[in-house]
Amino acid sequence: MITMTGSERYLGGKLLIAMPDMADPRFRRSVIYMLAHTDQEAMGIVVNKIAGSISQTGGSDDEKRLTLPLHDGGPVDPEQVIVIHSGDGSEYPSTHVVADNFCVTATPDIIDDLSKGEGPQDRIIVVSYAGWAAGQLEGELERHAWLVCDATSELVFRTAPQSMWDAAIKSLGISAGMLAAGGGTA
């Protein structure tokens, strides 16, 4: 059984890494950046699954078309657009600081800036998110459905989505091949 106490108890600002035998196909090989985790709920964004792209064309013929990848953040609220980005939280009035150099903004002003090639250089645009009710995530952790690791800018913003699951596991000092399907207890 996993017992978390003190600052380890809440996983906001951490990464969840799906175990190889993840039962839910929506989360197989997923890496989730945790935006919030309390006794009442948890919320995160899948950061390694691309859903498509968004394109913006400038007003004049001289302006280039800008295409930005759009990530599939999870199964909850598919109309919600969220940007996880670097910064100190002062960039936009609605920005929420999650952890050092990790912020989240869910208002159109950041999308407008990004569509013009402005705004934070380190960013992931996602549609939707993953959510857990009270005790649900803790139960999944006890059943060994997820590994937990520290989030770094290099891993979250600069690792290719298709490589992120393996890279996140390697950041723990292990390889995916070392993970047994169906975790056990000692």
Side-chain angles (χ1 to χ4, degrees):
M1 177 175 176
I2 295 175
T3 304
M4 295 183 286
T5 59
S7 63
E8 296 173 355
R9 181 157 193 233
Y10 297 114
L11 301 176
K14 299 282 189 180
L15 291 177
L16 296 182
I17 309 163
M19 287 293 286
D21 63 342
M22 172 61 70
D24 189 334
R26 297 172 297 180
F27 294 109
R28 283 202 186 111
R29 295 182 60 92
S30 287
V31 177
I32 298 178
Y33 182 78
M34 293 301 296
L35 298 175
H37 183 205
T38 67
D39 286 335
Q40 290 77 42
E41 63 188 350
M43 177 183 177
I45 294 175
V46 177
V47 292
N48 69 323
K49 307 247 173 143
I50 301 292
S53 62
I54 55 175
S55 295
Q56 179 75 24
T57 304
S60 73
D61 292 337
D62 295 333
E63 291 180 304
K64 296 180 181 178
R65 171 176 244 182
L66 183 64
T67 302
L68 301 169
L70 182 65
H71 289 69
D72 179 358
V76 181
D77 197 0
E79 300 298 317
Q80 178 67 53
V81 177
I82 301 167
V83 180
I84 182 170
H85 58 91
S86 60
D88 63 7
S90 64
E91 298 84 356
Y92 301 93
S94 63
T95 295
H96 171 73
V97 177
V98 179
D100 287 341
N101 206 33
F102 283 94
C103 299
V104 63
T105 305
T107 53
D109 50 352
I110 192 169
I111 299 297
D112 290 343
D113 282 354
L114 293 174
S115 70
K116 294 184 260 181
E118 301 170 1
Q121 290 299 309
D122 288 334
R123 83 278 195 202
I124 296 174
I125 305 168
V126 298
V127 61
S128 67
Y129 61 92
W132 294 264
Q136 186 180 4
L137 178 57
E138 290 78 6
E140 291 177 15
L141 289 165
E142 287 177 8
R143 290 187 301 277
H144 309 285
W146 302 100
L147 295 171
V148 178
C149 75
D150 291 330
T152 65
S153 294
E154 184 66 33
L155 188 56
V156 174
F157 296 123
R158 293 181 210 102
T159 301
Q162 65 274 15
S163 303
M164 195 179 297
W165 186 78
D166 286 317
I169 291 171
K170 285 179 186 174
S171 77
L172 294 170
I174 57 177
S175 70
M178 294 172 63
L179 297 174
T185 58

